[in-house]
Amino acid sequence: MIVKTYVFSYYLTIFITAVVLVVATIFVHPESVKYLANKFLKENAIAYSKVEGSLLTGVTLHDISYLDIFAAKRVEVGYNFFMLFNPTPVIRKIKADGVSLNLDKLPKSQEESSEFFAFAIAKLELTDASVIIEDERFVFNLNASRIDYDKTLDVRKLFVELFTPYADATIDATIDSNRLYAKTLVTPKVSVAKKYLGFLQGVAKTIAIDVDASLQKIFMRTHFNRLSLSADQNISVGNADVNLTYFTKEEYFSFDSSYTLSYQEFEAEAKQNGLFNNYGAYFSELSADLTKYPPQLPFKSFEAEFAGDAESLAGSIKTKQLKLDIKSKDYKEFLLHVDSKALALSSISQLPDMLKKNIIAFNADAVVVTSPFSLIGTFSTKGLYCSAEGNIALDNISQLFSAQVYPKLESEIFKTYPIEMFSPLEFIYYNEDEKAVLNIYANMFDLTLFKNGTSLNGLGHFGSQSFDVNGKISEKNDANISLSANIPSLNALLSEFGVVKSQEGVFFDAEANIKASVNFSKNMEIKSRLHIPWFITKVDTKTAYTVENLYLESTMTDKDITIEKYSLDFRNHNFNSQKKSKISFDDNATLELKEFWIYDNLLVTGLFNPLLMKGDLQIKSDAFKYEGKEANVTIRADVDISLDGNGTQKIEGNVTLLDGVITYEPPVEYTISDDIIIIQDIKPQTENKRFINLHISSLKPISYKTKNIDLHLVPDVVIWQEPSRPLAFLGMATIEEGGVTASGKLFIFDRSEVYFNGSNPINPYLNLNMHYQTLNYIDIEIFITNTLASPIVIFKSTPHLSQNDIMSYILFGEPATAVFESSSGGKTSVSSLLLATGVKQIFNDTAGVNIDTLNVLTNEEGTLGYEIGARISDKIRVIYKNDTISSVILQYSFSKSIRLDINIHETGQGINILYVKDF
């Protein structure tokens, strides 16, 4: 039994060993692999050129192909034969080179995937692999590890390098239960970026995209720092986060994004979301809050909503005040409609205060055709001050604009203007190729401009006045336009518009020649030259002022005016400056005199509003030099002028005479002649609101020289005026030395004073000390005291002389007894004769007043009086008499023999009718 058991075990062992050796030989023998490959692969139309390896450790196939669907240069599969029999077969390695899969050739019956059995791949490596989809080849390299499939796919690490006709990409991912988590870097091809993204600037060469994909949807996220339009780099999107989701079963996309939208001085934080599908249908909505915007913008946020498909579009853009509707049925023709609520303009700081009160509403309709481009539309607006309506027509060749503006005559802004003369105001502009015409027309104004290439010319009318326009406009929209006009009568022109109205005794007129050049190269610049040959202002029947030869050159840029130079003649004086003066103005017409020069050395600065007559001005000079016929002086000035807009004027400061000579003489037209009657218009005195406190002084004596006068004066005077009070002088003027020549006689001044006490009319106190020396060295002293209206004259001589002798010496250089031999009444006759001839002539020569009667009267006490008379017509003479009392006599001659005397004196009045007969 034991032997039989032993024999059975022995032969069984030999048999099992033989079987194992046979099986092992089959698995490791190369021919076995070839046999099986030939048996199972070729029978299924899988071709190959060579097979290597063994069934135990793995095989390698070369030049594999399956129909025209699949091909590979080399496929290596490594495994542990016994691991293939696990519930989840494990393949150690799959490595393939030159794999090509043409999905376009794949039979439709095989496109739908069927459920695979469970498997595991430790390592998968594909090199130079490609997939063909719709005749386009996508090449990639793939490395993956720890691939497990058991109803769901898991890949611990997946790295793919993808090369497509559109972009290159790298994908670093993992797969967890059929869900892909990947970080990708996409680099678009240069040609693709230029074609599809060329309208953008700032696109990164490589774009990072995060992917979260499942069988139901694919989610992608990316970020852009800044993108701008190539056509207009002012439009940009920054700090953008974009999320895109594709729903695989429903086959549509959804997206949401947030970004910063910028355009010039505008910036907004925007949020946008929407839907779209492969068939062209879409919907999107956007909301934005403005973070940077001009202060005058009437809204701070806006919303937009668009929906459509491949054929039609409908959308709107809305704010609280505005709404724009857009519609199209074919993406070729678009209908636009704009509506606005009442918009307040108070936030527009650049507008004048009056226009800030305006509130406007408008609407517009337009039809836009994209190819060829055209736009036809209408618009209308309504506001507090005016309404307007118009039409617009644009295409690729021409542009046409027309509008009619209707000012509301009852509006506050137009109350002081003849606006009815400019209502309605019509505009028409037409442009085609390089030719254009602009016409502006109103009742009293029209302008027509013609443009041909870069040349511009035209003409216009302002009332009856015409003017010409010419200039150049370049392709860059730079323009230089010249305007010229000759106005023969400014008064006639303004009268046409009702700006000036005739007023009795008041008149002004001027002739003006204007040439201006307007340059639009950068900021608008206006250079002008003004010549006014004459300008006359007549304030009453007696008083008229004339300015001649006013020349002014100025440059205005934005709100700054530079007066290059100016010159004008007024009352035989030339006022000019070659020094640049700089002035700026704001929207309220307030002028800021940064530096305004008079004679190049008198500076005026400050603020002034000519419409409100309000301002504060400072006049300063360290050494203002004035040269003229009446004076040649140097002055230091520091004067402040304030105007409050209610008529109140305040003038304060100091004027110091530093040096110079005054040669002023009263004009001839103010002397009284025998045969001219001067009647001055008497107007009711208006209540002034002027306050003046002006101190006039000098550092040293100032010379006053005329034909008969040579004095050295030191003024220390305050010109003072309070509101509703007359002008007054306070202070004194000191005559240091000098002389007066009258009728060939020299009167020498000692130190004298004139005191101003603020009286009205001006009537200073006198303290005048004069000397007259005769040929025989008699020194005659003349003292004049009291007031200018009531002077007291005292004569004194060394040696002592009588009053008649002193008067005779002054007039004739001899004593009275030597000139006239008279009786006891000789004093009266001599004195009367002397003063009626000599003193009268002296008074006329020095005072500039033509009198025809001057008598010296001697009363019973021996003191002197005087009688002064002047003929103001052939029939009327006025005589002032100062003897024991003061009186005024009005003499009216009815004929040569009959005269009426009206005597008015301190104690009463009387009327005498005299018959005069010559003997």
Side-chain angles (χ1 to χ4, degrees):
M1 187 66 183
I2 296 173
V3 174
K4 290 181 179 181
T5 302
Y6 172 77
V7 172
F8 175 77
S9 300
Y10 174 76
Y11 284 105
L12 179 61
T13 301
I14 293 173
F15 175 77
I16 293 172
T17 302
V19 171
V20 170
L21 290 174
V22 171
V23 172
T25 301
I26 294 173
F27 276 106
V28 300
H29 200 283
E31 295 300 326
S32 299
V33 175
K34 292 178 182 179
Y35 173 79
L36 293 174
N38 187 58
K39 179 68 177 175
F40 294 103
L41 297 180
K42 288 188 176 182
E43 289 182 0
N44 290 283
I46 299 175
Y48 60 91
S49 63
K50 182 181 179 182
V51 61
E52 297 176 334
S54 66
L55 295 178
L56 185 63
T57 59
V59 296
T60 301
L61 298 174
H62 296 269
D63 301 322
I64 304 171
S65 64
Y66 173 68
L67 303 178
D68 53 358
I69 298 174
F70 175 82
K73 292 182 179 180
R74 180 177 180 276
V75 176
E76 179 183 350
V77 181
Y79 53 83
N80 184 330
F81 179 78
F82 300 103
M83 297 296 293
L84 296 178
F85 298 97
N86 284 346
T88 301
V90 177
I91 299 176
R92 188 178 70 254
K93 176 178 67 173
I94 298 177
K95 183 177 181 181
D97 296 330
V99 176
S100 176
L101 178 63
N102 191 339
L103 297 181
D104 296 339
K105 302 295 185 177
L106 189 67
K108 291 185 178 181
S109 60
Q110 299 182 23
E111 289 182 358
E112 297 183 2
S113 61
S114 58
E115 188 173 343
F116 287 96
F117 55 86
F119 64 86
I121 302 175
K123 184 176 182 182
L124 174 63
E125 182 178 339
L126 303 179
T127 304
D128 196 21
S130 63
V131 176
I132 298 174
I133 303 174
E134 295 182 355
D135 295 329
E136 290 187 324
R137 182 179 296 274
F138 298 86
V139 179
F140 63 92
N141 298 320
L142 183 147
N143 282 281
S145 61
R146 296 293 299 271
I147 303 171
D148 293 297
Y149 177 79
D150 187 2
K151 295 184 180 181
T152 60
L153 179 64
D154 295 285
V155 179
R156 176 174 292 184
K157 183 172 179 59
L158 174 65
F159 183 79
V160 179
E161 293 179 318
L162 180 64
F163 307 95
T164 75
Y166 308 103
D168 297 338
T170 61
I171 303 172
D172 190 357
T174 62
I175 300 176
D176 185 6
S177 299
N178 290 341
R179 189 163 184 173
L180 173 69
Y181 300 94
K183 291 187 177 295
T184 65
L185 297 175
V186 180
T187 304
K189 297 290 188 182
V190 175
S191 58
V192 173
K194 184 176 181 180
K195 181 177 180 180
Y196 296 101
L197 301 176
F199 68 96
L200 294 175
Q201 284 195 354
V203 179
K205 292 183 178 180
T206 299
I207 302 171
I209 302 175
D210 293 339
V211 179
D212 182 355
S214 66
L215 298 177
Q216 291 76 32
K217 63 181 181 180
I218 302 173
F219 174 80
M220 292 175 283
R221 178 190 294 114
T222 189
H223 177 84
F224 298 101
N225 289 327
R226 187 179 184 276
L227 298 176
S228 61
L229 292 179
S230 300
D232 189 352
Q233 296 186 30
N234 291 317
I235 302 176
S236 65
V237 173
N239 195 28
D241 290 313
V242 181
N243 301 324
L244 181 66
T245 303
Y246 176 65
F247 296 88
T248 57
K249 290 184 179 181
E250 295 83 358
E251 296 183 341
Y252 74 90
F253 293 85
S254 71
F255 72 92
D256 65 85
S257 61
S258 63
Y259 50 86
T260 300
L261 180 63
S262 301
Y263 177 71
Q264 292 183 349
E265 55 186 324
F266 297 89
E267 187 172 286
E269 295 296 331
K271 293 183 179 181
Q272 184 177 3
N273 59 72
L275 304 171
F276 61 93
N277 61 21
N278 297 328
Y279 308 104
Y282 59 89
F283 170 80
S284 179
E285 57 185 2
L286 176 145
S287 64
D289 294 319
L290 296 174
T291 55
K292 290 183 181 179
Y293 48 86
Q296 64 269 24
L297 194 68
F299 56 88
K300 307 299 182 287
S301 63
F302 64 91
E303 297 177 352
E305 186 177 286
F306 289 91
D309 53 29
E311 296 181 352
S312 62
L313 161 71
S316 64
I317 301 174
K318 296 181 292 185
T319 71
K320 291 182 179 180
Q321 295 84 10
L322 298 170
K323 182 180 180 182
L324 169 63
D325 293 322
I326 305 173
K327 294 181 180 180
S328 178
K329 293 182 178 181
D330 55 8
Y331 288 95
K332 295 181 180 179
E333 183 177 283
F334 294 85
L335 303 179
L336 307 181
H337 177 74
V338 180
D339 262 324
S340 81
K341 298 179 182 179
L343 296 174
L345 304 183
S346 56
S347 59
I348 305 178
S349 59
Q350 291 84 349
L351 290 178
D353 290 338
M354 182 64 70
L355 291 181
K356 287 181 180 179
K357 301 177 183 178
N358 197 12
I359 297 175
I360 64 170
F362 65 90
N363 64 77
D365 292 281
V367 177
V368 179
V369 178
T370 57
S371 182
F373 171 78
S374 68
L375 182 150
I376 299 175
T378 61
F379 67 89
S380 63
T381 66
K382 291 182 179 180
L384 295 180
Y385 304 134
C386 66
S387 60
E389 57 186 27
N391 300 276
I392 302 173
L394 309 173
D395 57 34
N396 290 326
I397 300 175
S398 62
Q399 299 87 41
L400 174 64
F401 301 91
S402 65
Q404 299 81 38
V405 180
Y406 302 92
K408 294 184 177 181
L409 305 184
E410 68 278 9
S411 297
E412 178 185 357
I413 192 173
F414 300 130
K415 284 184 177 180
T416 57
Y417 300 97
I419 195 62
E420 65 277 0
M421 299 181 181
F422 301 93
S423 178
L425 188 62
E426 299 182 5
F427 298 83
I428 297 177
Y429 173 78
Y430 179 75
N431 177 40
E432 183 175 352
D433 295 332
E434 295 186 353
K435 297 181 179 180
V437 59
L438 170 66
N439 180 258
I440 304 174
Y441 176 79
N443 291 337
M444 298 288 290
F445 172 79
D446 67 85
L447 172 65
T448 303
L449 297 176
F450 301 94
K451 175 182 175 293
N452 189 353
T454 61
S455 297
L456 180 71
N457 58 76
L459 69 161
H461 292 85
F462 192 76
S464 60
Q465 178 61 48
S466 63
F467 57 91
D468 298 321
V469 181
N470 59 75
K472 294 285 187 180
I473 299 179
S474 69
E475 296 178 357
K476 298 179 180 179
N477 293 324
D478 295 342
N480 195 315
I481 301 174
S482 298
L483 306 173
S484 61
N486 178 32
I487 304 175
S489 172
L490 184 61
N491 184 279
L493 178 62
L494 296 179
S495 297
E496 288 185 66
F497 295 93
V499 177
V500 296
K501 297 180 180 179
S502 60
Q503 185 178 351
E504 184 178 356
V506 179
F507 176 79
F508 83 93
D509 200 1
E511 178 187 353
N513 298 311
I514 303 171
K515 291 185 178 180
S517 175
V518 185
N519 193 313
F520 297 92
S521 57
K522 292 182 180 178
N523 297 326
M524 185 176 71
E525 180 183 76
I526 301 176
K527 291 188 175 182
S528 60
R529 300 183 64 183
L530 174 66
H531 175 213
I532 298 180
W534 56 269
F535 182 98
I536 184 170
T537 300
K538 189 175 181 182
V539 296
D540 52 45
T541 56
K542 176 187 175 183
T543 308
Y545 302 100
T546 301
V547 174
E548 297 179 336
N549 296 321
L550 169 61
Y551 291 92
L552 185 145
E553 294 184 12
S554 65
T555 302
M556 185 175 77
T557 303
D558 195 13
K559 294 181 179 180
D560 296 320
I561 302 174
T562 300
I563 299 177
E564 308 290 343
K565 58 183 179 180
Y566 69 88
S567 174
L568 62 91
D569 296 327
F570 178 68
R571 287 192 170 181
N572 298 321
H573 294 89
N574 180 261
F575 296 87
N576 66 82
S577 177
Q578 302 295 317
K579 204 169 185 177
K580 290 184 178 181
S581 297
K582 296 181 180 180
I583 303 172
S584 64
F585 61 93
D586 60 19
D587 296 324
N588 298 320
T590 299
L591 301 177
E592 180 185 358
L593 280 69
K594 297 179 178 178
E595 49 177 323
F596 183 83
W597 293 98
I598 301 175
Y599 287 121
D600 294 344
N601 49 25
L602 184 63
L603 177 63
V604 182
T605 60
L607 300 174
F608 178 65
N609 188 312
L611 299 180
L612 303 177
M613 291 302 293
K614 180 179 180 180
D616 293 290
L617 299 174
Q618 296 80 43
I619 302 176
K620 292 185 178 181
S621 178
D622 292 331
F624 168 57
K625 190 171 182 61
Y626 174 80
E627 295 182 7
K629 292 182 179 180
E630 69 282 348
N632 184 354
V633 293
T634 302
I635 299 172
R636 181 171 65 206
D638 187 358
V639 179
D640 294 333
I641 301 176
S642 176
L643 309 172
D644 70 353
N646 295 319
T648 302
Q649 306 168 23
K650 190 175 183 180
I651 303 172
E652 294 182 288
N654 297 284
V655 176
T656 304
L657 301 174
L658 302 179
D659 193 8
V661 178
I662 299 174
T663 57
Y664 174 78
E665 294 185 74
V668 176
E669 58 264 33
Y670 295 120
T671 61
I672 302 174
S673 65
D674 289 340
D675 53 0
I676 296 178
I677 300 176
I678 297 178
I679 302 175
Q680 184 174 3
D681 297 337
I682 305 299
K683 300 180 180 179
Q685 184 174 2
T686 59
E687 182 177 335
N688 73 74
K689 297 181 180 180
R690 185 182 304 112
F691 176 83
I692 299 177
N693 181 11
L694 193 61
H695 182 210
I696 300 176
S697 60
S698 67
L699 296 180
K700 62 180 182 180
I702 302 299
S703 297
Y704 178 74
K705 292 184 179 181
T706 65
K707 180 180 179 181
N708 299 318
I709 301 173
D710 186 359
L711 300 177
H712 294 278
L713 307 173
V714 178
D716 188 5
V717 179
V718 173
I719 301 177
W720 179 268
Q721 185 176 30
E722 296 179 348
S724 303
R725 303 282 295 176
L727 192 68
F729 286 81
L730 301 170
M732 64 180 292
T734 302
I735 301 174
E736 296 287 347
E737 60 181 359
V740 176
T741 302
S743 298
K745 297 174 177 60
L746 177 63
F747 298 87
I748 303 299
F749 272 87
D750 287 341
R751 182 182 177 92
S752 303
E753 294 87 17
V754 178
Y755 298 94
F756 298 92
N757 60 357
S759 60
N760 182 54
I762 297 173
N763 187 25
Y765 285 93
L766 306 177
N767 182 22
L768 304 181
N769 303 311
M770 293 184 289
H771 287 266
Y772 173 70
Q773 192 173 54
T774 66
L775 294 177
N776 54 354
Y777 301 106
I778 296 175
D779 184 18
I780 298 175
E781 296 182 60
I782 305 171
F783 303 98
I784 302 177
T785 63
N786 207 27
T787 65
L788 181 64
S790 300
I792 297 175
V793 182
I794 301 173
F795 296 94
K796 178 183 176 182
S797 65
T798 303
H800 176 75
L801 298 174
S802 68
Q803 295 289 324
N804 280 341
D805 286 340
I806 291 174
M807 299 292 285
S808 180
Y809 267 113
I810 292 174
L811 293 175
F812 304 109
E814 297 180 275
T817 55
V819 178
F820 300 99
E821 294 292 334
S822 61
S823 61
S824 60
K827 288 184 180 180
T828 302
S829 61
V830 170
S831 298
S832 300
L833 178 63
L834 289 174
L835 292 179
T837 55
V839 176
K840 184 183 85 170
Q841 185 62 39
I842 292 172
F843 193 92
N844 283 341
D845 290 344
T846 58
V849 179
N850 189 13
I851 64 175
D852 55 19
T853 300
L854 176 57
N855 296 321
V856 174
L857 308 177
T858 305
N859 57 26
E860 294 178 356
E861 288 76 16
T863 59
L864 294 177
Y866 56 87
E867 184 178 83
I868 301 173
R871 181 178 297 278
I872 61 176
S873 73
D874 291 339
K875 296 181 180 294
I876 299 175
R877 181 193 303 272
V878 177
I879 297 174
Y880 175 74
K881 184 177 181 181
N882 188 339
D883 189 6
T884 56
I885 60 175
S886 297
S887 62
V888 176
I889 302 173
L890 175 65
Q891 297 178 345
Y892 184 82
S893 300
F894 291 98
S895 65
K896 186 175 181 181
S897 302
I898 299 175
R899 189 181 80 210
L900 174 68
D901 286 6
I902 301 174
N903 189 353
I904 302 173
H905 50 80
E906 296 176 357
T907 59
Q909 58 270 344
I911 299 177
N912 300 316
I913 299 177
L914 305 177
Y915 176 77
V916 182
K917 182 174 177 62
D918 294 332
F919 294 96

